[in-house]
């Protein structure tokens, strides 16, 4: 039996650029001007815990305690408005004869939202 396992972010859904745009906006708001491309280099593929720790190092100070939760809520709202499937991925997966599933290091609520929206 063959089972195909797909990552979600950047493979099934085009989420990385949205997340990096949001992180760049957050860092700029906190006083460290950053572009989405810079945020991609600094934060892409990292857990929220690692993103917050890295943000604090870049800022050279702690970030507000509720910032992670607020940023996650804002990103989920942005996903509801703007998230799209990667171009052509639905047809490509539908054409595969094998069983398939999704694996992700994203939080379960983010994964479910991503799959529901797209």
């Amino acid at each position: 039996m063959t089972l195909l396992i797909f990552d979600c972010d950047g493979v099934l859904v085009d989420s990385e650029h949205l997340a990096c745009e949001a992180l760049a906006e957050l860092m700029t708001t906190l006083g460290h001007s950053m572009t989405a491309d810079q945020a991609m280099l600094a934060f892409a593929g990292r857990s929220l815990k690692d993103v917050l720790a890295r943000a604090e190092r870049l800022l050279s100070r702690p970030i507000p305690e509720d910032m992670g939760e607020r940023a996650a809520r804002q990103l989920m709202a942005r996903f509801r408005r703007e998230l799209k499937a990667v171009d052509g991925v639905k047809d490509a997966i539908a054409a595969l004869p094998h069983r398939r599933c999704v694996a992700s290091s994203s939080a379960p609520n983010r994964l479910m939202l991503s799959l529901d929206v797209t």
Side-chain angles (χ1 to χ4, degrees):
M1 168 172 50
T2 299
L3 174 66
L4 302 174
I5 304 171
F6 293 91
D7 186 21
C8 187
D9 296 309
V11 175
L12 300 178
V13 298
D14 198 9
S15 57
E16 289 298 323
H17 78 279
L18 292 176
C20 288
E21 286 172 2
L23 285 168
E25 291 166 9
L26 173 66
M27 291 299 291
T28 299
T29 298
L30 292 171
H32 184 88
S33 184
M34 181 175 275
T35 66
D37 288 340
Q38 291 169 325
M40 179 73 76
L41 291 172
F43 302 119
R46 300 182 191 276
S47 69
L48 179 59
K49 178 182 173 185
D50 290 341
V51 165
L52 295 174
R54 180 110 194 220
E56 287 185 341
R57 285 193 303 275
L58 290 170
L59 292 164
S60 300
R61 62 179 162 74
I63 60 172
E65 209 170 287
D66 66 337
M67 186 59 67
E69 185 177 312
R70 283 191 321 193
R73 279 196 311 271
Q74 289 173 348
L75 182 59
M76 295 303 100
R78 190 172 198 159
F79 277 10
R80 284 184 198 93
R81 291 188 313 270
E82 301 176 43
L83 189 63
K84 304 282 186 240
V86 169
D87 284 341
V89 76
K90 288 180 182 181
D91 292 336
I93 290 174
L96 297 170
H98 306 292
R99 293 174 47 136
R100 51 211 172 259
C101 68
V102 177
S104 178
S105 61
S106 291
N109 64 328
R110 175 178 166 160
L111 179 61
M112 289 304 300
L113 176 64
S114 294
L115 296 175
D116 286 345
V117 167
T118 57

